[in-house]
Amino acid sequence: MHERSLPASPNWYCSRCSDVSSTGVLGVGAKNIIYLVEVCASSCRVSGELVGHKGLVSGFSFCQHAGQNHLCVSSSNDGNVRFWDSDSKTLIREHTAHQSPVSAVHWSPLDKNLVVSGDEKGVVVCHWYNTGDTSSFFPEPRTIFCLTCSPHTWSCVAVGYKDGMIVLIDVSKKGEVLHRLRGHDDEIHSLAWSPLANEVALFSRPEDSEVTNGIATGEERGCYLASGSKDQTVRVWSTAKGKAVMTMKLPYLKKRGSAVDPGVKERLWLHVHWPKGRPTQLVSSCFSGELVLWDLTKTGKHRWSLFGSSSEGQNHNRIVFNMSSVQLQDGRELLISTSMDREVKCWDLSSLDCCWTLPTLGGFVYALTFSPVGAGCLALGVGDNMIRVWNTLTTQNQYDTRTFWQGIKSKVTALAWHPKREGSLAFGTDDGKVGIYEVFSNKPPQISSSYHRKTVYTLAWGPPVPPMSFGAAGGKSSHSLYSCAGEGVILQHDPSNLSGEASDIDTLIKDTNNIKHKLSPHTDLRWKPDGKVVAIGNEDGCIDVYEAPSLRLLCSIQQHHKIINTLRWHHDHSAASELHFLLASGSSNAIVYVHDLRSVIENPPESPAVLTEPYRRLCGHTNKITSMAWSPHHDARLVTVSYDGTAQVWDVLQEEAVSNYRGHVGYLLSVDWSPVDPDVIWTGGKDFTLQEWRVSKQEFTKPPKGKKTVDLLEKVKANPKLKRKNKKSSGASGAAGATPPPPEMNGESVRGGEKTGQEPSDEDEKDEVSSTNSSIPPSAALEPYRRPAAAVKSKDKADLLKRKKPRSMLPVSTSMDHRPKDELLQDCITLASVKHSEAPPAGCVPGQGEHIHLGLFTDRQALHRMFEAEEESHVEAGHFETVVYLRLWSGDLEGALQLATEKGELNDHLISIAPMAGFEVWSRTVEAYVKQLCLQEQYLKASSHLLSINRLYEAVDLLRSHKLYREAIALVKARLPEDEPVLKELYTVWASALERDGHFSAAAKCYVAAGASFDAAKVIARKNDVSSLRTAAILARISGETALAQSLALRCAKDLAAAQDWVPAQEVLSSQDSLLVHRLHLCVAELLSAVLAPVVPQSCVSSHAWTRTMTTTTSPPGERRVRLQDRVRGVWKQQFGVSQDSAGHRSVRALLQELKSAESPTPTASVPLRQVLMYSSLHLTRSVLSWLSDDDDDDEQVMKELWRSVSWFRDSGNFSVSAEICRMLFPEGDVGVCSRKQHIEGEEEEKEGGEKEKGEEEAAADSLQAFVLQHRLYERWWSLSADTQRVPNGDEAKKEDEAVNGASSSSSSSGRSVDDKLDFDASPLLSERHAACQAAQRSVREIQERLSSMVLQHSSRAQGEQLDADVSSSSSSSVTAAESRETSEAGERPAETLLSLSVKMSEYQKHLADFPQMIKMFPHPDVVECCLVVLHLSKSSSSVSESMRHEAKSLLQKYGTSPSVLKASQSFLTEPEPEPVTVTQ
């Protein structure tokens, strides 16, 4: 492994991305790798990596339990949680329970098997290490930023969210929320538990003394929790109280240490850490990288101490993300912090001083080079826009580095130390900038005023050449700075005058060597150490060697066939002088060539020599070569690095591999040999690391074989977009390394949508940032390290290259240019013979046969012959469009159009030029194009082309036939008169189509436009909701469709009334006078609803003001109660102008006649109460109108309509509502007052006429009176029952005896006077005629039930089905129960047959027929039931007369034959006659 190394920078904006084990091993998540660092009080050493995550590492935690402290867990934004063994650096287990990026993970400090993780969707997962099980919870739908397990209660976990909420959950109870801690206003960055298991430590503060007096009670036992938030506050929470007990505002501190780049925006990250042995001290980060130690016991303004205050430069200079502490064996407690400044610092918690600093790298290591003057001074050019200079030989601080960032602002891609002047370092950047830093001064760098357009790849110091060499003896610099960039240009800069313009050496090369053509783009240059010769590598693979200072070309090395990436001259302090002339070169193929240029340099040829064979060939790498370095300690010892991910040491003279280093992850970019240790080499690459390693300690000697192809296939399989278009190029640059390079993640993490760090701009390092959201490296990873100038394109140009190449118009003649070289040369001779000879060579016909391609270079006839041959070729291939264009080019327009028509290849361009061939041809072509467009379903375009030849009606028919009605109507209205019949037809057809599809409003508009308003209203009403019906009614009324308008308005009003929305219902009807009677009906319904509101509460949407007086059902004492009919008549007169004297459309007779047509069904128990209300109000409206009418016939209908109104509530099963309506209609209990005649039975002047009608009226009045009496009887019974129940602690038997025996004590059972006779005559309820009729009706119903049961049993037996006992019992429960009761009471009866039951049925039906029709038409209440009530009433009160009691008993004995009645009446029929009750005054 490596000796020393600089790891990748820890990831930013993660709540817990680093942790220290109890044995002193620091784990840091950087990109998708966890780096392990051994720490002590004096130094640190990177000991290994944990590699495997595909996404950015978002969390890391060690197990702190003895025996398991080598175990650790990590999370990633790929949703995975991995368990590792840090000793063996192997993966133990992987959990994929999360479906979203994991944002936090923690290994419980109390339970050695519990690990808790949370993701960005708010899901919390518990991982059990011993079993491998997981359980998920979802306590809050918020984004989790951090979480931490309690060190005192294993099941308690604190979770911090993005919105500032902190939640304590119990993982043993499925994530039950224990507390929600509210107080922070922004993101929770960190949480830390107090090391003490109680809340005693802070209770000495005066402001908290009143709570517990310094003692934590059992009920309030808890633990303190500290939180840091983006709102710039640190809060300490009491988990016992569930609230904050301390809030600390971050102090603003003056910036200490070195300055930072002001152009880099950074946000606050507030991390808190509670050291284990310090319960009253809390460490937090601050605004600009400072660390603050808080003393929690101080009163008043909280006191804090600053870390590193003893000397300058100890603090971080950017915000701190993570802190963790460890206690060493000697008792010292260390704190480790990671920061945005890419440094890991170790602090002594006792002295608050910095112990050591570990620099880290935030980008690719593009360049590394040792100073030739300052021994051991290593410069690094990194993709994080900074230069680092490391003194590798220091003994006190083994990571003694200085960082330079001023004036750079882009990736540092090239470095070069001045060969003579100490500390002078030239740098080149990704954006084409060239500058010089004086590293031993604090001055900003000098920047050249001449910028490259592309990335600077190479810098080299060398002797000046013209024009800068002119006058060099006059005090000018002895060295010039040469820079080579991606655009292929080499510039010469004057280091003493960088503000001056740099010169392009190509000008000198062309002038000196008399070159007229364009030079190949340059990719690298290297001066020979003695400064006499310079080697320049080119994009075409050629290496040119020039003699200084005139740059005369000595030789051209043409062995490589791909872009030259690196050149190196052998050092000139070797004993063997012949080695001084060795030049090593590496290109984008995998072979390293070494060239011996001694003969060319010592004896320069008169003309440039061309070398095609290398001196030595070094084979072994499997991918392109990126850099190399000669050993300064050995002869002919070379190290090379490659995209295969390895560094290879070679013995050049023997062409043997000496050692192979495979410690990096990903491809390598830079290498240099240690200037002091012959066995040490330094390498840097894509994995953001710099590594020092020894040649003698490597396990391998050669690079891995065949890995290139395997890696490339894996990448292409995972992401087909990575496949290069140029297959040859992909073969040479497809894969990386001895191990598959993991997906590239950026140390500059992104959290919460906020981009951090600085954006790289070069495509070659896209994976440093862009791949943070991808698990596959982008294609930039496969691009050459040195990209050809012609291949470096902008994004727009790259997109153009991806487009499909257009088909050639002349493929046959073009293919002739791809023949062998000899045949192409012969074509030149043949063409010259044709052009310059009178007779062409024998067998040569230009434009035909083997000489078809020559038709392009001779006369027109030959061109036409070539066109004919090309047409034949296109026809065979089916490329008819190309044939059309060939004919068009040759001038045969009509033939071109005809061919395009036949083959269906017409297009807009051909149609646009068709008029040139004449109107007939144009018209015919357009018609053909219309058919073609119709086949392609481009109907709008086809109709537009028909318009171009004035075929308007055909265009309309085309649109209509394809259901483009909207467009067809628009066309007709734009081009034809308003009265065009086709317009109405289009509207009608479109309306029908819309109606079928359910678009009723659109269909209605079409009908209105077509003049069919009736259809428009009907189609809108099909929706059948209130708004649609209202709209349809208004539309019909406006259009003159009166009958339809009335019908729709009435439907709408009924729907509104059913919903108790009375005001809109009246408004709908008010627009039409003919609907006045329905308005009166709704008025009555609204009043009736208001009257019944106390009895049947209903949700009324809207109501009128005149109903508010109807909400009370009782009148003050002594005041005569107003009947409901009177109130109705008053509202009608006041609101609607309807009275006994009204005329016109308000005439009572006319209104009554119109209302008689309204239908009212037979009452049943299944009708809803709201509908019952509407039907009852209809009859009540008729009754009031009949009362207002002068006609005697109408007057006779008053009582019948009242009876029907009340019967609706009675027959629908609403007894209480029926009682209430009776009280409102007849408050005095007398139904006779409702007729305009004073008494129903008292007028003796009435004559014989109209006896039938009079009989019906009397029967209806009797029935109505009976029901009123029934309700009053029940009310009296219920009131007595309520009084009886109010007697406290009474003996029921005693009360009954006292009531029966007539005891007159003041404490009688009823608690009232015995003198409480009925105030009404209940005798009409005990009508024997009605009792007999009701008994006969009950008997008929019983026999019908028995008959149906017998038929059902017979059919079941006939079908052979054995019915289930439960089913049969439920189907005939009533009949079976009745039979069983009769059997038990009357003993054994003979079995009844179907015949005997039929005989009984006929007898009862004859008996029923003998009863008067009026009794059956207007029935009374159940007489048997009334008898029971009277007897019950007589038992507890003296209000019932003895005669009535006897009558009730006799009727009950005679007609109470049903089992239920017999059971209820048994106590009354068997008891002895009571003695008379004594009445006392």
Side-chain angles (χ1 to χ4, degrees):
M1 286 297 295
H2 45 261
E3 300 296 309
R4 287 181 291 175
S5 70
L6 297 184
S9 297
N11 293 334
W12 297 352
Y13 301 108
C14 298
S15 63
R16 191 194 304 273
C17 208
S18 64
D19 195 15
V20 185
S21 71
S22 57
T23 58
V25 177
L26 170 67
V28 179
K31 305 193 303 171
N32 58 334
I33 300 174
I34 297 108
Y35 290 91
L36 302 177
V37 184
E38 297 176 357
V39 299
C40 62
S42 59
S43 64
C44 64
R45 187 181 74 87
V46 179
S47 58
E49 303 92 18
L50 303 178
V51 182
H53 278 296
K54 295 181 180 179
L56 181 76
V57 175
S58 58
F60 179 79
S61 180
F62 270 107
C63 178
Q64 302 294 342
H65 299 271
Q68 287 190 185
N69 49 20
H70 62 287
L71 301 178
C72 54
V73 63
S74 63
S75 62
S76 169
N77 63 5
D78 60 9
N80 293 341
V81 175
R82 294 185 173 221
F83 291 83
W84 308 86
D85 186 335
S86 62
D87 290 345
S88 62
K89 302 175 181 60
T90 56
L91 177 66
I92 299 175
R93 184 183 299 122
E94 179 178 12
H95 288 174
T96 58
H98 288 282
Q99 303 298 320
S100 302
V102 183
S103 52
V105 68
H106 190 209
W107 200 308
S108 172
L110 201 60
D111 190 327
K112 65 179 182 179
N113 294 314
L114 174 62
V115 173
V116 183
S117 61
D119 62 28
E120 293 180 357
K121 297 295 185 182
V123 177
V124 177
V125 178
C126 290
H127 312 263
W128 300 97
Y129 172 74
N130 55 342
T131 62
D133 297 332
T134 61
S135 56
S136 300
F137 316 118
F138 190 54
E140 295 286 337
R142 297 178 170 92
T143 299
I144 294 176
F145 252 52
C146 57
L147 61 80
T148 180
C149 299
S150 171
H152 314 297
T153 306
W154 74 268
S155 60
C156 184
V157 179
V159 185
Y161 293 93
K162 182 178 180 180
D163 60 358
M165 174 76 76
I166 301 173
V167 175
L168 304 184
I169 64 173
D170 189 339
V171 298
S172 66
K173 298 179 180 179
K174 298 182 179 180
E176 176 185 334
V177 176
L178 303 177
H179 286 293
R180 288 183 174 87
L181 307 179
R182 296 177 173 89
H184 287 294
D185 299 328
D186 214 329
E187 303 165 358
I188 305 298
H189 291 161
S190 178
L191 295 170
W193 290 95
S194 169
L196 291 185
N198 53 54
E199 297 184 358
V200 177
L202 304 184
F203 286 150
S204 60
R205 296 169 56 220
E207 54 267 37
D208 292 333
S209 60
E210 67 274 8
V211 181
T212 59
N213 296 322
I215 301 174
T217 63
E219 292 81 2
E220 293 189 348
R221 179 176 177 82
C223 177
Y224 286 122
L225 174 70
S227 61
S229 169
K230 190 180 177 181
D231 63 7
Q232 305 179 10
T233 62
V234 176
R235 294 177 184 260
V236 179
W237 307 83
S238 166
T239 58
K241 307 170 190 173
K243 66 178 183 178
V245 297
M246 188 179 297
T247 302
M248 294 164 285
K249 187 76 173 178
L250 288 188
Y252 286 91
L253 304 173
K254 184 178 179 181
K255 187 70 178 178
R256 301 178 61 90
S258 59
V260 297
D261 185 358
V264 178
K265 295 180 64 177
E266 64 180 66
R267 71 181 196 184
L268 173 68
W269 188 270
L270 209 170
H271 188 86
V272 293
H273 176 72
W274 213 318
K276 293 182 180 178
R278 302 169 184 262
T280 62
Q281 292 182 336
L282 184 67
V283 182
S284 76
S285 60
C286 205
F287 289 104
S288 302
E290 298 89 350
L291 298 181
V292 177
L293 180 67
W294 301 88
D295 189 342
L296 304 180
T297 61
K298 300 294 183 181
T299 59
K301 183 178 180 181
H302 301 292
R303 300 299 299 273
W304 46 267
S305 303
L306 188 64
F307 279 67
S309 59
S310 61
S311 61
E312 295 286 339
Q314 291 193 51
N315 270 300
H316 292 285
N317 52 41
R318 301 285 286 278
I319 55 176
V320 174
F321 291 114
N322 296 124
M323 290 181 286
S324 51
S325 60
V326 60
Q327 191 163 12
L328 303 179
Q329 294 181 353
D330 58 4
R332 299 178 64 183
E333 192 170 1
L334 303 180
L335 179 74
I336 312 295
S337 61
T338 63
S339 168
M340 186 184 277
D341 63 4
R342 305 188 189 283
E343 289 183 343
V344 178
K345 288 183 179 288
C346 176
W347 306 85
D348 188 336
L349 279 176
S350 298
S351 63
L352 304 186
D353 287 333
C354 182
C355 302
W356 48 260
T357 300
L358 173 64
T360 61
L361 308 178
F364 294 0
V365 183
Y366 286 105
L368 65 90
T369 176
F370 278 99
S371 171
V373 180
C377 192
L378 175 62
L380 306 176
V382 187
D384 57 9
N385 308 344
M386 291 190 285
I387 298 171
R388 292 167 177 80
V389 178
W390 184 2
N391 184 3
T392 60
L393 301 182
T394 184
T395 56
Q396 294 181 350
N397 181 8
Q398 60 177 343
Y399 292 102
D400 181 14
T401 62
R402 295 185 61 193
T403 301
F404 303 90
W405 55 265
Q406 288 182 319
I408 297 177
K409 299 181 180 179
S410 185
K411 302 181 186 69
V412 181
T413 53
L415 294 173
W417 289 101
H418 195 284
K420 302 295 183 183
R421 189 166 64 245
E422 185 176 7
S424 184
L425 177 65
F427 67 89
T429 67
D430 173 74
D431 58 1
K433 184 187 302 179
V434 176
I436 300 175
Y437 249 114
E438 298 298 333
V439 299
F440 297 120
S441 71
N442 293 325
K443 296 180 180 179
Q446 303 178 57
I447 305 298
S448 174
S449 61
S450 300
Y451 278 71
H452 288 279
R453 297 194 306 273
K454 304 288 183 178
T455 302
V456 177
Y457 288 127
T458 303
L459 292 173
W461 294 92
V465 299
M468 290 188 182
S469 61
F470 297 146
K476 286 195 174 184
S477 176
S478 61
H479 287 82
S480 289
L481 178 61
Y482 296 87
S483 60
C484 179
E487 72 270 21
V489 175
I490 296 177
L491 297 180
Q492 179 186 194
H493 307 267
D494 184 356
S496 62
N497 184 24
L498 286 178
S499 60
E501 185 177 357
S503 61
D504 187 347
I505 68 170
D506 279 0
T507 303
L508 179 61
I509 292 175
K510 288 183 177 182
D511 293 343
T512 301
N513 299 283
N514 195 24
I515 298 175
K516 304 299 181 182
H517 60 81
K518 181 181 178 181
L519 295 176
S520 176
H522 309 305
T523 58
D524 196 36
L525 85 156
R526 196 64 56 180
W527 283 93
K528 196 172 180 295
D530 59 9
K532 296 180 180 179
V533 175
V534 62
I536 297 178
N538 299 314
E539 185 180 287
D540 59 3
C542 176
I543 303 172
D544 295 327
V545 181
Y546 298 94
E547 182 182 33
S550 62
L551 299 187
R552 182 173 72 89
L553 181 61
L554 298 179
C555 68
S556 179
I557 303 172
Q558 299 181 2
Q559 290 153 7
H560 294 282
H561 301 290
K562 293 186 178 181
I563 182 174
I564 301 298
N565 289 329
T566 179
L567 297 170
R568 291 293 186 276
W569 290 95
H570 194 282
H571 57 83
D572 58 357
H573 52 265
S574 172
S577 59
E578 63 274 8
L579 299 179
H580 301 174
F581 301 95
L582 296 183
L583 174 66
S585 61
S587 68
S588 286
N589 56 18
I591 301 175
V592 179
Y593 292 113
V594 181
H595 320 278
D596 185 0
L597 302 180
R598 181 175 184 179
S599 59
V600 175
I601 295 175
E602 291 184 345
N603 301 303
E606 295 182 0
S607 60
V610 178
L611 305 182
T612 58
E613 290 298 327
Y615 173 65
R616 291 290 186 270
R617 190 190 311 264
L618 307 178
C619 301
H621 281 297
T622 59
N623 213 321
K624 59 185 176 183
I625 311 300
T626 55
S627 185
M628 59 179 60
W630 291 96
S631 170
H633 313 285
H634 308 85
D635 290 340
R637 183 69 60 90
L638 181 70
V639 59
T640 58
V641 293
S642 167
Y643 255 44
D644 61 11
T646 67
Q648 180 65 47
V649 180
W650 307 90
D651 185 336
V652 174
L653 298 180
Q654 301 298 323
E655 295 184 331
E656 291 181 353
V658 176
S659 178
N660 183 259
Y661 178 65
R662 307 181 182 181
H664 285 274
V665 180
Y667 52 76
L668 303 187
L669 298 174
S670 55
V671 64
D672 205 359
W673 216 295
S674 171
V676 295
D677 191 336
D679 197 35
V680 173
I681 295 175
W682 298 76
T683 52
K686 174 191 174 183
D687 58 359
F688 290 29
T689 64
L690 170 73
Q691 298 182 13
E692 175 193 25
W693 51 277
R694 292 189 174 274
V695 178
S696 59
K697 292 185 178 181
Q698 301 311 309
E699 177 183 358
F700 304 99
T701 57
K702 294 182 179 181
K705 296 293 183 182
K707 197 65 178 175
K708 174 186 68 175
T709 305
V710 174
D711 288 348
L712 180 62
L713 291 176
E714 289 181 355
K715 291 180 181 179
V716 171
K717 183 178 180 180
N719 189 355
K721 294 183 179 179
L722 295 178
K723 188 174 181 180
R724 301 294 302 273
K725 291 185 178 181
N726 188 340
K727 295 182 180 180
K728 296 181 180 180
S729 177
S730 66
S733 60
T739 60
E744 192 58 34
M745 296 295 157
N746 181 20
E748 303 162 359
S749 164
V750 175
R751 171 66 71 93
E754 184 171 345
K755 192 169 290 185
T756 65
Q758 301 170 22
E759 294 267 340
S761 57
D762 185 20
E763 293 179 5
D764 191 33
E765 201 177 330
K766 277 183 181 177
D767 49 357
E768 289 192 36
V769 170
S770 63
S771 60
T772 56
N773 297 325
S774 172
S775 62
I776 302 299
S779 57
L782 301 179
E783 294 180 359
Y785 175 63
R786 303 294 176 89
R787 287 163 295 161
V792 180
K793 303 291 183 182
S794 65
K795 290 184 179 180
D796 294 338
K797 294 182 179 179
D799 292 340
L800 291 175
L801 292 176
K802 294 178 183 178
R803 295 176 184 174
K804 185 178 180 181
K805 187 177 180 181
R807 184 186 303 123
S808 174
M809 293 285 291
L810 307 171
V812 179
S813 56
T814 302
S815 64
M816 301 298 288
D817 292 333
H818 299 157
R819 294 175 296 157
K821 184 178 180 180
D822 294 341
E823 296 184 15
L824 295 178
L825 295 175
Q826 183 61 40
D827 286 342
C828 297
I829 298 175
T830 303
L831 180 60
S833 300
V834 171
K835 294 288 288 184
H836 299 286
S837 300
E838 295 182 357
C844 176
V845 180
Q848 187 176 343
E850 296 180 357
H851 301 90
I852 181 176
H853 57 293
L854 297 183
L856 192 63
F857 305 99
T858 54
D859 55 13
R860 182 176 295 179
Q861 294 180 353
L863 181 67
H864 280 247
R865 289 195 294 269
M866 184 183 74
F867 277 1
E868 291 176 1
E870 295 285 2
E871 286 182 13
E872 294 177 1
S873 172
H874 284 303
V875 169
E876 291 177 1
H879 302 154
F880 301 106
E881 182 182 0
T882 310
V883 177
V884 171
Y885 282 109
L886 284 176
R887 291 191 180 181
L888 185 61
W889 289 1
S890 62
D892 185 10
L893 178 57
E894 186 174 355
L897 295 173
Q898 182 63 30
L899 178 64
T901 300
E902 294 174 357
K903 301 301 181 181
E905 295 290 339
L906 288 170
N907 54 39
D908 293 339
H909 174 245
L910 294 177
I911 296 300
S912 67
I913 62 175
M916 297 170 57
F919 180 79
E920 292 185 2
V921 175
W922 174 41
S923 179
R924 188 169 59 249
T925 305
V926 169
E927 292 175 357
Y929 190 39
V930 167
K931 295 179 181 179
Q932 178 182 319
L933 290 174
C934 289
L935 293 175
Q936 298 170 358
E937 298 184 358
Q938 300 184 43
Y939 307 116
L940 294 176
K941 191 174 182 180
S943 62
S944 300
H945 280 285
L946 283 174
L947 292 177
S948 67
I949 57 174
N950 202 24
R951 301 288 181 84
L952 177 59
Y953 287 97
E954 288 84 345
V956 173
D957 289 339
L958 174 64
L959 294 173
R960 178 174 56 183
S961 62
H962 294 96
K963 299 183 180 180
L964 298 173
Y965 303 111
R966 188 184 302 272
E967 291 77 7
I969 290 172
L971 179 59
V972 171
K973 290 184 72 68
R975 301 289 291 270
L976 293 175
E978 289 288 340
D979 56 351
E980 180 65 36
V982 70
L983 182 60
K984 184 176 181 180
E985 182 182 351
L986 283 172
Y987 278 129
T988 305
V989 174
W990 190 21
S992 301
L994 290 171
E995 190 174 356
R996 286 194 301 271
D997 295 338
H999 305 300
F1000 300 133
S1001 59
K1005 287 185 283 188
C1006 292
Y1007 281 128
V1008 170
S1013 301
F1014 184 89
D1015 295 330
K1018 292 286 288 184
V1019 75
I1020 290 179
R1022 283 187 60 183
K1023 196 77 172 180
N1024 210 29
D1025 55 26
V1026 170
S1027 58
S1028 298
L1029 290 173
R1030 181 190 290 114
T1031 303
I1034 296 173
L1035 192 153
R1037 179 172 54 83
I1038 295 174
S1039 304
E1041 302 290 345
T1042 306
L1044 179 61
Q1046 293 178 2
S1047 172
L1048 295 174
L1050 190 56
R1051 285 172 56 189
C1052 179
K1054 287 182 178 179
D1055 289 347
L1056 288 169
Q1060 302 279 303
D1061 198 359
W1062 303 106
V1063 174
Q1066 290 285 355
E1067 291 175 353
V1068 169
L1069 298 178
S1070 63
S1071 60
Q1072 303 184 51
D1073 294 339
S1074 58
L1075 298 178
L1076 176 60
V1077 69
H1078 298 287
R1079 295 187 64 194
L1080 299 179
H1081 173 207
L1082 293 186
C1083 171
V1084 174
E1086 185 176 357
L1087 289 171
L1088 194 58
S1089 176
V1091 167
L1092 298 178
V1095 181
V1096 186
Q1098 301 182 57
S1099 58
C1100 182
V1101 180
S1102 66
S1103 62
H1104 293 85
W1106 34 264
T1107 62
R1108 296 171 188 170
T1109 59
M1110 304 297 295
T1111 55
T1112 59
T1113 59
T1114 60
S1115 300
E1119 182 179 337
R1120 181 179 177 272
R1121 299 176 64 181
V1122 181
R1123 291 181 299 151
L1124 178 61
Q1125 302 93 309
D1126 298 336
R1127 297 184 183 183
V1128 169
R1129 288 192 290 269
V1131 173
W1132 281 5
K1133 184 175 182 179
Q1134 183 179 0
Q1135 301 294 331
F1136 303 98
V1138 176
S1139 65
Q1140 193 170 0
D1141 301 327
S1142 58
H1145 72 279
R1146 292 184 174 86
S1147 170
V1148 174
R1149 297 196 56 165
L1151 293 174
L1152 183 59
Q1153 191 64 30
E1154 185 176 350
L1155 194 61
K1156 286 181 179 180
S1157 60
E1159 296 181 0
S1160 178
T1162 303
T1164 60
S1166 61
V1167 180
L1169 181 58
R1170 289 191 177 184
Q1171 199 64 37
V1172 171
L1173 178 69
M1174 295 302 296
Y1175 290 137
S1176 176
S1177 61
L1178 174 63
H1179 293 291
L1180 185 56
T1181 305
R1182 289 176 179 171
S1183 174
V1184 176
L1185 286 174
S1186 299
W1187 190 91
L1188 291 175
S1189 175
D1190 295 332
D1191 195 341
D1192 293 338
D1193 294 337
D1194 293 337
D1195 184 56
E1196 294 174 356
Q1197 295 295 324
V1198 172
M1199 200 57 63
K1200 289 194 289 185
E1201 295 296 341
L1202 280 176
W1203 182 87
R1204 294 189 183 101
S1205 177
V1206 174
S1207 66
W1208 259 106
F1209 290 104
R1210 184 187 68 248
D1211 295 343
S1212 61
N1214 298 285
F1215 184 82
S1216 60
V1217 181
S1218 175
E1220 182 65 24
I1221 194 64
C1222 285
R1223 279 195 297 271
M1224 294 305 300
L1225 291 174
F1226 318 108
E1228 303 298 331
D1230 184 10
V1231 301
V1233 297
C1234 294
S1235 174
R1236 295 184 67 184
K1237 302 170 184 176
Q1238 293 299 319
H1239 299 285
I1240 298 176
E1241 70 279 0
E1243 295 289 340
E1244 300 198 6
E1245 296 84 14
E1246 300 213 346
K1247 309 296 178 187
E1248 294 124 25
E1251 185 174 353
K1252 181 178 180 181
E1253 291 76 13
K1254 181 178 178 182
E1256 289 183 358
E1257 182 181 4
E1258 288 180 354
D1262 289 343
S1263 175
L1264 197 56
Q1265 185 67 58
F1267 281 107
V1268 172
L1269 294 175
Q1270 180 195 22
H1271 294 314
R1272 297 186 67 180
L1273 181 66
Y1274 267 96
E1275 286 177 4
R1276 186 58 175 269
W1277 181 35
W1278 290 335
S1279 65
L1280 290 176
S1281 299
D1283 291 341
T1284 303
Q1285 292 174 0
R1286 285 196 293 268
V1287 177
N1289 301 322
D1291 182 29
E1292 298 298 330
K1294 182 179 180 181
K1295 288 188 297 179
E1296 184 175 354
D1297 292 342
E1298 290 177 351
V1300 173
N1301 297 325
S1304 59
S1305 168
S1306 61
S1307 59
S1308 64
S1309 63
S1310 61
R1312 52 181 172 76
S1313 174
V1314 184
D1315 190 12
D1316 52 358
K1317 293 185 178 181
L1318 294 178
D1319 56 354
F1320 59 91
D1321 182 13
S1323 58
L1325 295 174
L1326 308 182
S1327 170
E1328 186 170 0
R1329 296 177 65 193
H1330 286 87
C1333 181
Q1334 291 169 2
Q1337 290 173 341
R1338 280 195 296 270
S1339 300
V1340 169
R1341 285 196 297 271
E1342 258 182 45
I1343 294 174
Q1344 287 176 342
E1345 290 176 356
R1346 291 181 187 177
L1347 285 173
S1348 61
S1349 176
M1350 292 178 67
V1351 171
L1352 180 62
Q1353 293 176 3
H1354 177 73
S1355 61
S1356 300
R1357 285 194 296 267
Q1359 295 172 3
E1361 296 179 357
Q1362 181 61 38
L1363 297 180
D1364 184 80
D1366 295 336
V1367 176
S1368 61
S1369 63
S1370 63
S1371 64
S1372 58
S1373 59
S1374 60
V1375 177
T1376 307
E1379 289 177 350
S1380 63
R1381 284 192 295 268
E1382 290 178 2
T1383 303
S1384 63
E1385 295 175 2
E1388 292 293 332
R1389 287 185 181 182
E1392 290 184 318
T1393 63
L1394 182 62
L1395 181 59
S1396 63
L1397 287 177
S1398 300
V1399 171
K1400 284 186 178 182
M1401 171 66 76
S1402 61
E1403 290 177 356
Y1404 280 120
Q1405 285 178 344
K1406 289 180 180 179
H1407 183 52
L1408 272 176
D1410 294 337
F1411 287 100
Q1413 187 65 24
M1414 293 301 102
I1415 293 180
K1416 293 180 284 186
M1417 182 181 299
F1418 299 101
H1420 276 217
D1422 192 334
V1423 176
V1424 173
E1425 180 183 333
C1426 292
C1427 290
L1428 286 171
V1429 175
V1430 168
L1431 291 175
H1432 272 285
L1433 194 60
S1434 66
K1435 190 174 182 180
S1436 58
S1437 170
S1438 61
S1439 59
V1440 180
S1441 64
E1442 190 64 26
S1443 60
M1444 185 179 295
R1445 190 168 178 273
H1446 282 294
E1447 186 178 359
K1449 274 189 177 183
S1450 62
L1451 289 174
L1452 199 58
Q1453 291 173 347
K1454 188 174 182 179
Y1455 299 106
T1457 57
S1458 65
S1460 58
V1461 174
L1462 290 174
K1463 183 177 180 181
S1465 61
Q1466 187 174 5
S1467 60
F1468 300 109
L1469 300 179
T1470 58
E1471 66 180 0
E1473 290 295 330
E1475 296 180 3
V1477 179
T1478 303
V1479 180
T1480 61
Q1481 297 296 334

